[in-house]
Amino acid sequence: MAREIAWLWWAMLGGATALTALVLVLLAMAFGPPRAVRPRRWTHGLGLWLSMAVLGTTLAGGLWVGERILPRDDGAIEVRAHARQWHWEFTHPGPEGPVTIRDELTIPAGMPVDILITAEDVIHSFWVPQLGGKTDAIPGRTNRLRLTADAPGRLRGICAEFCGLGHAGMRFDVRVVPAADWPAALIAEEASE
Amino acid sequence: MRWLGLSLAGPAIWAAGFTLVYALHGAGCAQGWTDIAVAGAVSLHALLLWSAWLATLAAGGLLLARLLAAAPKAPGLVRALPRAGAWIGLGATAFTLLPVALATSC
Amino acid sequence: MTDATADRTPAEARAETLAIPANPPQRALALHRALDRVWRNDRGWWGQVTAVNHTTLGLRFMGTALVFFAIGGVLAMLVRTQLATPGGAFLDTELYNQIFTMHGSIMMFLFAIPMLEGLGIYLLPKMLGTRDLAFPRLTALGYWCYLFGGLILLAALLFGVAPRDGWFMYTPLSGATHSPGINADVWLLGITFVEISALCAAVEITVTILRQRAPGMRLTEMPLFAWYMLGTSAMMLVGFPPLILASVLLEIERAFDWPFFEVARGGDPLLWQHLFWLFGHPEVYIIFLPAAGALSTIIPVMCRTEILGYGAIVAAILALVFLSFGLWVHHMFTVGIPHMALAFFSAASLLVAVPTAVQVFAWIGTMWKGRPELHLPMYHILGFFLTFVMGGLTGVMLAVVPFNWQAHDTAFVTAHLHYVLIGGFVFPMMAAAAWWMPLVSGRARIRSLGEAAFWLILVGFHGTFFLMHLTGLLGMPRRIDVYPDNPEWIWLNLTSSVFGFVMTIGFALFALDLVLQAVMGQRSRRDPWRAPTLDWSLALPTPSYTFASIPGPRQLDRPAGAVALPLARGEGLLPGAPRPRRELLVTTVGDARPDHVALLPGNSALPLAVAAAIGSFVLLMLAGFYALTPLSLVLVAVLVWCWGRGLVRQGDAAPVEVAPGLSLPVQTARRRTLGWSGNLCLLLANGTFFASLIFGVGFLSLVAPGWPAPPARAADAGAAGWVVVALLALLVAAICARLADARQRNGHVSGRPALAGVAGNAVALVAIAALALLHMDDPTQHARDALRGVLAGYAALHALTAGGLAAFAWQQLRRGEIATRHGGALPTWRLWQDFAAATALIGAALVIGQEALG
């Protein structure tokens, strides 16, 4: 998921840089004696058609990536993330029933995981920057976010939506373990809590 | 003054269509219209969204056709602005509601 | 109001339709003295209190907005100081939250909006060739509401009880449970108070542009600035009501525990977000359009040419006005809305860049067409291009859903919005300040100070915000006060903070430049830029009456400098002030043909009194003395009655000769007065408010989690009976209004229909009260019942308003102030009565539909 978004970003950055350069060059060339201009070339040619072409391409790219990273009904692992002022509770499906751990999410590497995000009190937002997009935790709703971590390791997660006095400190750890170790790692984690 | 009102007609058709499609989409997802099959594989939800989109396009197209067919009597903007408005409405309807055809519904 | 048809040049069409003879020249000084006596403010401090003049108030709006800009800027510096180091012990979290909330709220509601209102108020009459705005007392009322609302917010900041839930005030964080105390109430009540001024300005700017242009200045050839302001004011009429509704609902929830946003009782926090952003995104374009109007005015003159693509720009404004209402959900891409719905708004957010691009390329094309001159306004215009284009392009990126999921609520968005708002509003406003300062102060500027300020601001701005894109991409969320675990953000934040102070020094220098120019600049010559618009035909600084004679078709085709003398000598229309009252010309909407002469009210302290009465309501609500608030409302009603009576007593209604052989009636003899148009605008805003309420009912009924609601008690025969009685009574009143109106036009002036109208509204009020007290469910029980309570309250308020207008008309009839050719308050009453009946009917139908389907 993060890889697709990164790809989209670099493409848009390139396009934006080119367009900014175009505008600045046109501006620089404007300084000088008056020129005969064709108005429609500016308003329709550049203003309408060039921008429509750029934006049409952008929409197509955005929709394509957006569709690819949507959660599907494919039996992915589901972890519940419940937010409250100001910490997270992650409920994992362990081999012997649900395992709830505070402020630490444990997921297997290389497998799609769906995070089911809920909130207790006010709106929060679940975000692990290295794994991809964020999704809000809203009272009364359950939102689903699909993540895939490539390699084992430790990542940091944060609350992205302003949620009051403890907002800045509402952080959590993400432990990505090799897929083979995954349920066992949960048990060990629960025991150490 | 009719021309000023006519200039608003095109964008207003887009606004109405956009609101209608968005409302139908939200209501359909909330009420489970995606699970109601109407004709074979087509769900009630998809049918409603497509109908609303196409109807809006038709209304915008009709307005544009009538404006283009009208005898060019008035000068300058008095003629051009209603036409521009109709193009804006039609183009915006085609572009902003394109996801009806391309995106996952609920 | 029909437009000219055949293929003629505009000038020919004007010559045919407007063969108005010129007035003979008179002595300019004598005209000046007579006019100034009628139009000037009263002397001394009291004169400032009673001033209603657009020049005075436009400058006061802009001056006050600059003070708030300075305060908002200082708050931003406090934020940057806190973030300069990761452990920032400079502010505690509570204070930090108050400060960033106030920074956003002040910059949006107390700086940007009042600034653009002030610019429009100050400039439009001068550009359009009229003497004042349509409703001078409304201008003053708007100013006092803005000032008092702003002072309430500032006082809260000083006493440490400022809003602290973010400028977007998301529920449930801003609800009573999670935000006890008055902090959130200060925001809801104070900002709504300020918004009254936005609605006042929108109403009168719309009416002034459509109906007060100089005779012969057709809509299709008025200065582009006026098109931009027309778009802006139309957007304000439609854009502000959703936020006002949201604020009213949240305040009711906080004060009286009626649930609208609380999930457990059928509310939904997303309703707040929808209503807030339904205002919040159009707001960005409301701020951008006037700035773009200033650019379209300044760029061609700075390049000694004419604007390229006038028609394309007008079409682009039309597109922006509509499209900008279809993007609000892009602020809500992460709330869990299905991908198709996101995609609609993603596409609309991308599409809105097209009309923006049309304007940008039209401006660059204009520069190619002419020979750009590098004066100070041009520096700021180049700063605009650089900054705004980058901000626009990051906006396009944020419109793309997957990227938005990554960048949303990070410093990337902070960077983007500052590029757009400072690029798209502040730089053009600085260009406008450099451009119009000679008109304001009558003085030329001091050399090179402005250039130094520009460079400091430009370098400081990009140094602060360019890096913030990167900070955001590295994962720094918005609205955090410490980041001890993220050493990778330290140097970025420190650099941003240092450049932030550079930018602040630049703004201080800019302010100093303005002050020095106003105080010690050399006297400027008239029309220093050799501009084509009428504002530059005025003496510097501009006189109280604006134009000694109204520019006519003879003056419109010539440059401003060439018509200054003829206008000052009274060769235009309606010269001087032979009658001791404020007069201006009202023209038709399309062709600007002279229609009638409007008599404007003079200096008055009534606007201050009304604003103070509204202020007492706000303060009583804040203090929790809810039982006393009806007293304030009665006071407001009494003062509004006096306001209306002030219009009635305006003396001689004989036709006025505006040019040799051309006599026009005064407004009392016309049905479609400026006031009538103003009421239409107000009803457009009111209708949007009601439509937003209907949206709220529909949204909660269909989408909120806590539905269906428990069975309603309301579905019994007694309730239905009262609903029918209320609707019938309002219908009867509407028929009475029509009857009274028709009779007056046919010469049968009679008080009976008006009295019946008062009775009809009274019966409706009683019926609504009976319904509420005897049959409706406890509104604290569920959102459904709370919304029904609001619908009933809305209907009651409108029955009360319509009844008041009926009573006003009845009094006019009794006193013989309404005659065959003088409809008084009858047309206005009819408008409001129809509106009251129609909204009550829709509200009742909605509740019946809910019962039938639920």
Side-chain angles (χ1 to χ4, degrees):
Chain A
M1 172 166 182
R3 202 177 306 130
E4 266 105 350
I5 296 181
W7 170 86
L8 198 61
W9 151 251
W10 288 114
M12 291 196 299
L13 180 65
T17 311
L19 285 173
T20 308
L22 171 72
V23 168
L24 294 182
V25 168
L26 288 176
L27 270 177
M29 288 170 69
F31 283 83
R35 263 176 277 212
V37 292
R38 286 197 208 152
R40 285 180 78 89
R41 191 168 282 181
W42 292 91
T43 55
H44 291 59
L46 287 168
L48 186 61
W49 297 118
L50 174 71
S51 62
M52 279 299 284
V54 170
L55 296 170
T57 316
T58 314
L59 179 68
L63 278 180
W64 188 67
V65 173
E67 285 289 314
R68 276 170 59 94
I69 62 182
L70 283 188
R72 306 269 166 206
D73 287 336
D74 54 7
I77 300 160
E78 289 183 351
V79 180
R80 304 194 74 89
H82 190 63
R84 65 177 69 202
Q85 285 176 328
W86 289 281
H87 62 88
W88 297 87
E89 268 165 23
F90 297 101
T91 307
H92 313 71
E96 297 152 22
V99 179
T100 302
I101 304 173
R102 186 170 155 150
D103 287 337
E104 190 177 88
L105 170 67
T106 306
I107 55 171
M111 290 168 69
V113 179
D114 280 3
I115 316 286
L116 301 181
I117 302 162
T118 51
E120 180 72 28
D121 37 35
V122 304
I123 298 176
H124 306 270
S125 189
F126 174 98
W127 191 30
V128 185
Q130 276 99 333
L131 290 185
K134 57 184 74 67
T135 296
D136 293 353
I138 300 175
R141 280 162 206 276
T142 304
N143 284 330
R144 181 182 289 265
L145 172 70
R146 167 150 301 187
L147 297 176
T148 310
D150 290 333
R154 275 198 169 269
L155 302 170
R156 298 282 297 167
I158 52 188
C159 171
E161 181 64 62
F162 178 63
C163 57
L165 283 177
H167 171 55
M170 196 170 153
R171 308 236 167 169
F172 58 94
D173 284 312
V174 183
R175 216 154 60 94
V176 186
V177 297
D181 304 347
W182 184 62
L186 277 176
I187 305 289
E189 193 62 41
E190 192 180 31
S192 73
E193 268 251 311
Chain B
M1 273 321 297
R2 220 171 86 87
W3 67 270
L4 194 59
L6 271 179
S7 308
L8 303 181
I13 288 173
W14 164 77
F18 191 75
T19 311
L20 180 67
V21 171
Y22 180 54
L24 283 175
H25 175 267
C29 285
Q31 307 288 317
W33 295 345
T34 39
D35 302 329
I36 305 174
V38 183
V42 180
S43 70
L44 175 65
H45 199 225
L47 183 74
L48 285 173
L49 293 180
W50 274 95
S51 322
W53 185 28
L54 293 179
T56 313
L57 281 174
L62 206 66
L63 174 75
L64 184 64
R66 291 201 55 174
L67 287 174
L68 291 178
K73 272 197 284 185
L77 260 190
V78 172
R79 187 179 70 228
L81 198 61
R83 290 181 180 184
W87 277 114
I88 291 166
L90 194 61
T93 308
F95 194 82
T96 60
L97 295 180
L98 198 61
V100 168
L102 298 178
T104 308
S105 64
C106 289
Chain C
M1 281 201 212
T2 52
D3 284 289
T5 44
D7 278 306
R8 292 170 300 186
T9 68
E12 280 167 358
R14 244 198 330 261
E16 277 180 38
T17 52
L18 291 161
I20 301 171
N23 278 302
Q26 307 177 40
R27 279 186 52 231
L29 193 60
L31 285 180
H32 166 76
R33 286 202 181 125
L35 278 159
D36 193 49
R37 205 170 302 129
V38 172
W39 285 87
R40 71 177 169 224
N41 297 335
D42 297 335
R43 299 209 180 282
W45 279 102
W46 185 245
Q48 288 300 306
V49 170
T50 60
V52 295
N53 183 290
H54 76 277
T55 300
T56 311
L57 284 159
L59 290 177
R60 209 189 288 167
F61 259 104
M62 289 190 277
T64 312
L66 279 180
V67 171
F68 279 112
F69 182 65
I71 296 168
V74 169
L75 296 180
M77 287 307 98
L78 297 180
V79 169
R80 283 296 353 147
T81 309
Q82 169 74 14
L83 291 178
T85 55
F90 177 62
L91 301 169
D92 67 28
T93 308
E94 162 76 26
L95 195 55
Y96 179 80
N97 292 352
Q98 290 191 16
I99 284 174
F100 76 67
T101 301
M102 285 295 283
H103 166 69
S105 305
I106 285 180
M107 289 304 196
M108 280 290 184
F109 297 104
L110 303 179
F111 162 63
I113 294 284
M115 188 72 190
L116 69 90
E117 288 164 16
L119 187 73
I121 287 168
Y122 176 80
L123 276 180
L124 281 170
K126 301 177 176 71
M127 273 195 176
L128 298 175
T130 186
R131 285 183 175 141
D132 205 337
L133 292 168
F135 313 110
R137 294 182 301 177
L138 207 59
T139 327
L141 172 66
Y143 178 75
W144 296 119
C145 288
Y146 161 45
L147 183 69
F148 292 165
L151 288 178
I152 288 173
L153 281 154
L154 279 192
L157 187 63
L158 285 179
F159 291 113
V161 289
R164 60 190 162 191
D165 307 313
W167 82 282
F168 44 88
M169 291 289 286
Y170 275 5
T171 60
L173 185 59
S174 57
T177 316
H178 301 288
S179 192
I182 67 164
N183 307 53
D185 303 303
V186 167
W187 193 96
L188 295 168
L189 292 162
I191 295 294
T192 306
F193 197 7
V194 172
E195 277 156 11
I196 294 175
S197 81
L199 287 181
C200 293
V203 167
E204 62 185 342
I205 286 174
T206 311
V207 176
T208 302
I209 293 173
L210 290 179
R211 304 206 55 196
Q212 282 176 236
R213 297 188 316 280
M217 183 190 282
R218 294 144 60 99
L219 205 54
T220 49
E221 54 195 38
M222 67 179 174
L224 272 173
F225 182 76
W227 273 110
Y228 278 103
M229 287 308 299
L230 185 61
T232 306
S233 57
M235 287 179 72
M236 285 165 80
L237 289 176
V238 180
F240 275 86
L243 178 60
I244 296 178
L245 173 72
S247 303
V248 169
L249 294 185
L250 183 52
E251 184 55 33
I252 293 177
E253 179 175 297
R254 289 179 56 88
F256 307 116
D257 196 31
W258 294 20
F260 300 102
F261 308 107
E262 188 192 316
V263 175
R265 289 183 285 162
D268 191 342
L270 288 190
L271 176 61
W272 171 270
Q273 298 194 13
H274 277 294
L275 290 173
F276 185 86
W277 293 117
L278 200 47
F279 147 82
H281 205 88
E283 151 93 347
V284 176
Y285 292 87
I286 289 172
I287 291 174
F288 170 64
L289 284 183
L295 293 171
S296 292
T297 309
I298 299 170
I299 289 175
V301 189
M302 283 277 94
C303 302
R304 309 256 55 100
T305 180
E306 283 169 355
I307 189 82
L308 174 147
Y310 180 100
I313 292 179
V314 174
I317 298 170
L318 176 67
L320 275 180
V321 166
F322 276 85
L323 288 177
S324 63
F325 280 94
L327 343 168
W328 80 92
V329 171
H330 76 214
H331 296 266
M332 303 166 61
F333 275 175
T334 62
V335 303
I337 290 173
H339 192 229
M340 185 186 284
L342 298 185
F344 295 149
F345 288 92
S346 171
S349 309
L350 291 169
L351 192 65
V352 80
V354 175
T356 314
V358 168
Q359 294 168 75
V360 166
F361 285 113
W363 292 325
I364 300 178
T366 306
M367 292 172 67
W368 276 53
K369 192 171 129 192
R371 180 196 290 273
E373 294 170 357
L374 205 54
H375 301 298
L376 182 59
M378 190 54 101
Y379 280 78
H380 288 299
I381 287 168
L382 293 175
F384 151 81
F385 275 115
L386 176 66
T387 313
F388 183 73
V389 167
M390 289 167 69
L393 288 167
T394 52
V396 167
M397 295 177 186
L398 285 170
V400 175
V401 176
F403 180 72
N404 184 293
W405 284 341
Q406 190 70 17
H408 180 73
D409 265 327
T410 68
F412 188 92
V413 176
T414 317
H416 157 70
L417 75 93
H418 283 89
Y419 265 79
V420 172
L421 291 175
I422 293 187
F425 185 70
V426 176
F427 274 110
M429 282 298 118
M430 291 192 293
W435 177 262
W436 275 294
M437 261 310 271
L439 195 67
V440 171
S441 66
R443 293 171 189 274
R445 66 184 195 87
I446 317 266
R447 258 163 211 274
S448 58
L449 208 53
E451 281 82 352
F454 165 78
W455 285 113
L456 281 173
I457 293 170
L458 188 79
V459 171
F461 173 82
H462 287 270
T464 308
F465 289 105
F466 189 79
L467 290 177
M468 247 188 230
H469 293 114
L470 188 55
T471 322
L473 292 174
L474 287 178
M476 181 167 172
R478 300 170 74 177
R479 306 177 184 108
I480 59 169
D481 55 339
V482 289
Y483 45 98
D485 303 329
N486 297 84
E488 72 275 22
W489 303 339
I490 294 176
W491 72 270
L492 290 165
N493 275 299
L494 183 62
T495 316
S496 284
S497 295
V498 170
F499 278 102
F501 281 93
V502 174
M503 175 165 63
T504 307
I505 294 167
F507 278 120
L509 205 57
F510 172 80
L512 182 69
D513 186 31
L514 288 190
V515 172
L516 287 181
Q517 177 173 359
V519 177
M520 25 183 300
Q522 291 186 326
R523 289 204 66 80
S524 167
R525 63 172 192 277
R526 198 184 267 218
D527 189 17
W529 307 106
R530 291 177 290 137
T533 44
L534 285 168
D535 42 340
W536 291 106
S537 73
L538 299 170
L540 305 183
T542 58
S544 58
Y545 49 85
T546 315
F547 289 96
S549 60
I550 307 286
R554 287 161 196 286
Q555 280 84 31
L556 290 181
D557 284 333
R558 300 161 61 193
V563 299
L565 191 60
L567 288 179
R569 291 199 305 201
E571 293 177 39
L573 285 74
L574 202 61
R579 297 155 294 274
R581 59 186 189 190
R582 299 186 180 185
E583 296 177 339
L584 52 76
L585 267 184
V586 178
T587 51
T588 56
V589 178
D591 273 349
R593 267 178 282 191
D595 184 74
H596 66 267
V597 172
L599 313 179
L600 297 191
N603 299 330
S604 164
L606 209 49
L608 177 66
V610 176
I614 302 173
S616 72
F617 175 82
V618 169
L619 291 176
L620 286 173
M621 283 294 292
L622 274 179
F625 297 140
Y626 304 128
L628 294 179
T629 51
L631 288 179
S632 299
L633 295 181
V634 170
L635 188 60
V636 171
V638 169
L639 289 168
V640 169
W641 184 285
C642 299
W643 187 294
R645 291 299 306 169
L647 282 181
V648 176
R649 306 188 200 96
Q650 271 181 338
D652 186 16
V656 172
E657 187 171 68
V658 301
L662 178 64
S663 274
L664 292 180
V666 296
Q667 69 199 14
T668 43
R670 278 278 191 258
R671 288 176 59 73
R672 304 288 186 249
T673 58
L674 293 178
W676 189 82
S677 302
N679 272 288
L680 271 188
C681 292
L682 204 54
L683 285 180
L684 172 66
N686 195 344
T688 316
F689 182 90
F690 185 71
S692 307
L693 181 57
I694 299 291
F695 164 77
V697 175
F699 180 81
L700 289 188
S701 307
L702 288 172
V703 180
W707 289 65
R713 191 155 65 97
D716 58 25
W722 286 118
V723 170
V724 171
V725 169
L727 289 177
L728 280 178
L730 287 173
L731 212 60
V732 167
I735 293 169
C736 290
R738 269 154 205 279
L739 205 65
D741 199 22
R743 278 194 177 184
Q744 178 266 329
R745 273 184 288 166
N746 295 334
H748 302 288
V749 178
S750 137
R752 250 176 258 143
L755 199 57
V758 177
N761 284 302
V763 171
L765 268 177
V766 171
I768 295 168
L771 183 69
L773 295 174
L774 303 176
H775 294 280
M776 279 170 55
D777 291 284
D778 176 10
T780 61
Q781 173 194 314
H782 192 272
R784 176 198 60 199
D785 307 312
L787 283 167
R788 286 180 186 175
V790 174
L791 282 171
Y794 185 88
L797 191 65
H798 282 76
L800 206 60
T801 311
L805 280 163
F808 193 91
W810 180 60
Q811 202 200 16
Q812 279 189 304
L813 286 160
R814 265 192 2 165
R815 293 187 176 204
E817 289 160 353
I818 289 180
T820 314
R821 291 190 45 74
H822 180 354
L826 286 176
T828 308
W829 169 36
R830 190 175 144 182
L831 272 181
W832 280 85
Q833 191 70 61
D834 285 351
F835 185 85
T839 49
L841 200 64
I842 295 170
L846 191 69
V847 173
I848 293 166
Q850 247 183 346
E851 285 300 318
L853 294 172

